[in-house]
Amino acid sequence: MTELDRSRLYAWFCDHADEPLAEYLMSCLAPAPLADIATKADTGDLAARIDALAAQRETDRIATKADMRD
């Protein structure tokens, strides 16, 4: 549902009911297309990416003076 669709639907609800009911009905709808909403299945992939970035950061870090002496 686009933002324009959401706005038109909200206006229609306000015209045919009242504003508190329109607010409630809109809060029941997904704020974005369902395909764009993150799920629990996405968290595993995200955790793996974070771990990979952390490992890469360790290997790519800048040498300190102490590292150069060793």
Side-chain angles (χ1 to χ4, degrees), residues 8-53:
R8 291 178 65 209
L9 187 57
Y10 176 76
W12 189 89
F13 285 147
C14 285
D15 289 345
H16 291 84
D18 59 6
E19 192 169 339
L21 181 58
E23 292 285 332
Y24 172 74
L25 291 170
M26 294 306 291
S27 73
C28 294
L29 298 175
L34 292 179
D36 294 344
I37 296 176
T39 65
K40 286 184 180 181
D42 297 320
T43 59
D45 184 44
L46 181 60
R49 289 183 184 190
I50 290 171
D51 291 342
L53 286 172

